[in-house]
Amino acid sequence: MNERGAALPIGAERTVCVCFAHGCLRSRTDLAHVMECFRANDWQLTRRIPQASLVIVFTCAFDRYAELKSRRLLAAAVKKKRPDARLVACGCFSGIMEESLAKDFDLITVPPRELGERLLDQFEKTPGKEVSIPLVSSGHVNRARNTFSLVDRVRGTLATGLEAYDKAVTRISGLRQIRLFAKSRRSGEATLVIARGCPGDCTYCAIRPAIGPLRSAPLKELAVRLEDGFKQGHSDFVIIAGDTGAYGRDIGLTIVDLLRVIFSHAELLRLTIQDLNPQWFNEYADTLIPVLTDNAERISMIWLPLQSGSRKVLQRMRRQYDPEVFLENCLRLRERAPTVAIGTHILIGFPGESEEDFDQTLEFCRQARFSDIFVFKYTDRPGTQAADMPDKVPEREKRRRVARLRSVFPTTVR
């Protein structure tokens, strides 16, 4: 294993294969950025792992299923790569399980918090050329996914036993899955990364240490990237961050300032706002709701991750918002802008969650009338405070609650 942080000479050959095991939209955007950075610095990109002198695999640690898939495809990359080729693991899994991965696979780990400053520099004698983050990553991800064979991908995604049951219970219905897949393939939708890192301190989250503290992009830089997107023919945008609502708190701005700039462009047709923590929705409600209301026809979706409707559970999660105030603000937005689609995330079976707590979550969802509910069941994540909490909810009970949530909101839950 090479020492982390040291330059890694690989001879004169400069051939890189970037692979995709699993990951969210933020990770996919990082992957596209990495591919463009290497291309701009005169590396040859190949789709075949055995041809590369450098193999980079993007991984995920959202849940145990994502971890298992990442490990299986990392193992496939180890078998396929040349003996002299270097292997790098990127993505959140590399940030959470750095020592374990480096030991098990003899690789270099570069977590998201260090991606921009470490990856290319390890393989270049001089600082590399700076490259803008691509606005569309789907083509890069498809190429990176296909570096693995069909057999590798099937083995990587093969779930057994209770894993298979979990996926069956929580998966979205067929028709809505087709609709969302079609939406994700729209060529006009561009991704605007407004910040990296997260200021939160949720007791169940293992991702924050991997992505690091909040680092907001300058407003002028985002305005330029937005203009570039319009020039490239894009009219639909998605804004993403570890927590979009926290944008600007490290540079003296707010998400409201950014949205005003975005909506000031007549070229914008549709905007999706990902992962805006209810903490900031509550704090900025008096200025944020009017901005959203005035631009309701141009908002495709806003995601406000509730996680739980129980005050007790939210306190144990260390989620910094009052659920009653959040519901009032959701209803304010519903009343003033009924066409705005509001999605949320629900975490089922957090330690200490009682049936009464779960009923409060159901009631919150009924009153808020969410357009989409992304539901996942709690699992212990490495290094988190929640993993050491008592009063764990039995797996069977968590599955029952997931199934019940789906039965109450059959056209909404995914």
Side-chain angles (χ1 to χ4, degrees):
M1 183 179 71
N2 289 278
E3 183 180 353
R4 292 187 75 246
L8 302 172
I10 55 176
E13 188 178 0
R14 297 162 63 85
T15 307
V16 60
C17 182
V18 181
C19 314
F20 179 76
H22 201 72
C24 63
L25 182 56
R26 293 191 299 274
S27 182
R28 295 174 187 218
T29 303
D30 284 342
L31 179 147
H33 192 201
V34 164
M35 292 180 74
E36 291 304 319
C37 284
F38 276 97
R39 181 180 285 116
N41 285 276
D42 301 321
W43 284 68
Q44 179 182 352
L45 271 67
T46 177
R47 295 173 183 264
R48 293 181 53 79
I49 294 175
Q51 293 178 351
S53 56
L54 175 63
V55 179
I56 301 171
V57 181
F58 274 77
T59 62
C60 178
F62 176 75
D63 56 17
R64 290 175 183 170
Y65 179 82
E67 282 190 11
L68 180 60
K69 182 178 179 181
S70 296
R71 278 193 176 274
R72 285 171 174 170
L73 291 178
L74 273 172
V78 169
K79 290 181 179 179
K80 292 176 181 292
K81 78 177 186 68
R82 295 174 355 201
D84 64 328
R86 307 310 309 163
L87 179 64
V88 177
C90 294
C92 289
F93 194 24
S94 69
I96 295 171
M97 304 291 289
E98 290 182 75
E99 294 184 5
S100 174
L101 286 176
K103 178 181 178 180
D104 294 345
F105 293 103
D106 187 22
L107 48 69
I108 306 154
T109 55
V110 183
R113 65 177 180 271
E114 300 176 1
L115 189 61
E117 61 196 52
R118 285 199 54 225
L119 184 55
L120 188 62
D121 291 346
Q122 291 198 72
F123 306 97
E124 294 283 0
K125 294 181 180 179
T126 58
K129 299 176 184 176
E130 293 186 5
V131 178
S132 297
I133 302 174
L135 290 167
V136 177
S137 62
S138 56
H140 299 81
V141 173
N142 288 338
R143 173 186 175 121
R145 181 183 286 113
N146 290 331
T147 58
F148 293 111
S149 68
L150 178 60
V151 172
D152 290 333
R153 297 199 301 273
V154 170
R155 287 175 177 170
T157 58
L158 187 62
T160 59
L162 294 179
E163 281 182 357
Y165 177 80
D166 287 341
K167 289 297 174 183
V169 168
T170 60
R171 74 170 184 266
I172 192 170
S173 62
L175 289 177
R176 297 189 70 241
Q177 191 170 30
I178 292 173
R179 176 176 64 82
L180 288 170
F181 176 77
K183 178 182 177 182
S184 70
R185 303 286 292 183
R186 289 187 305 174
S187 59
E189 193 169 66
T191 301
L192 194 65
V193 181
I194 65 173
R196 302 186 68 84
C198 178
D201 191 27
C202 300
T203 57
Y204 57 84
C205 181
I207 301 300
R208 185 182 181 278
I211 64 177
L214 178 67
R215 304 180 302 283
S216 300
L219 193 57
K220 290 183 178 180
E221 177 184 312
L222 293 175
V224 169
R225 298 203 64 235
L226 195 62
E227 291 286 358
D228 288 342
F230 294 137
K231 291 177 182 177
Q232 295 172 26
H234 300 294
S235 57
D236 293 7
F237 282 79
V238 181
I239 59 173
I240 64 171
D243 178 354
T244 59
Y247 171 80
R249 294 186 66 84
D250 55 329
I251 57 175
L253 297 171
T254 71
I255 184 63
V256 179
D257 297 320
L258 174 61
L259 289 176
R260 284 172 175 157
V261 170
I262 293 175
F263 287 127
S264 69
H265 291 81
E267 301 95 328
L268 178 74
L269 294 184
R270 304 290 284 177
L271 180 70
T272 297
I273 304 171
Q274 291 273 14
D275 299 337
L276 198 163
N277 192 318
Q279 176 182 354
W280 314 120
F281 188 67
N282 285 353
E283 181 169 334
Y284 303 133
D286 290 343
T287 52
L288 178 57
I289 291 177
V291 171
L292 298 175
T293 301
D294 292 343
N295 297 278
E297 294 182 355
R298 297 199 286 172
I299 298 175
S300 178
M301 171 77 78
I302 177 171
W303 287 92
L304 304 171
L306 168 66
Q307 307 304 5
S308 174
S310 163
R311 184 187 302 274
K312 182 196 79 176
V313 172
L314 288 174
Q315 289 175 345
R316 289 171 65 88
M317 290 180 173
R318 203 173 290 156
R319 300 281 287 177
Q320 304 295 324
Y321 50 87
D322 186 321
E324 293 181 3
V325 175
F326 179 42
L327 179 58
E328 291 175 3
N329 289 325
C330 284
L331 295 179
R332 283 173 63 191
L333 180 58
R334 276 270 178 246
E335 179 182 356
R336 300 181 187 186
T339 61
V340 172
I342 304 174
T344 197
H345 300 173
I346 298 296
L347 177 57
I348 298 295
F350 187 81
E353 181 189 66
S354 66
E355 189 71 13
E356 180 182 358
D357 296 322
F358 179 65
D359 286 340
Q360 291 174 13
T361 298
L362 290 179
E363 182 59 26
F364 191 111
C365 292
R366 287 192 187 97
Q367 294 189 49
R369 305 192 307 277
F370 292 118
S371 305
D372 283 273
I373 302 175
F374 181 80
V375 57
F376 54 104
K377 67 183 184 66
Y378 169 85
T379 56
D380 288 338
R381 311 305 298 135
T384 63
Q385 295 182 39
D388 297 326
M389 288 183 178
D391 303 324
K392 292 291 196 298
V393 178
E395 288 297 310
R396 177 176 293 183
E397 178 60 23
K398 286 189 281 189
R399 292 188 178 91
R400 185 191 68 80
R401 291 177 187 176
V402 169
R404 184 181 169 200
L405 182 67
R406 182 176 178 129
S407 67
V408 173
F409 306 102
T411 63
T412 304
V413 173
R414 53 162 129 170

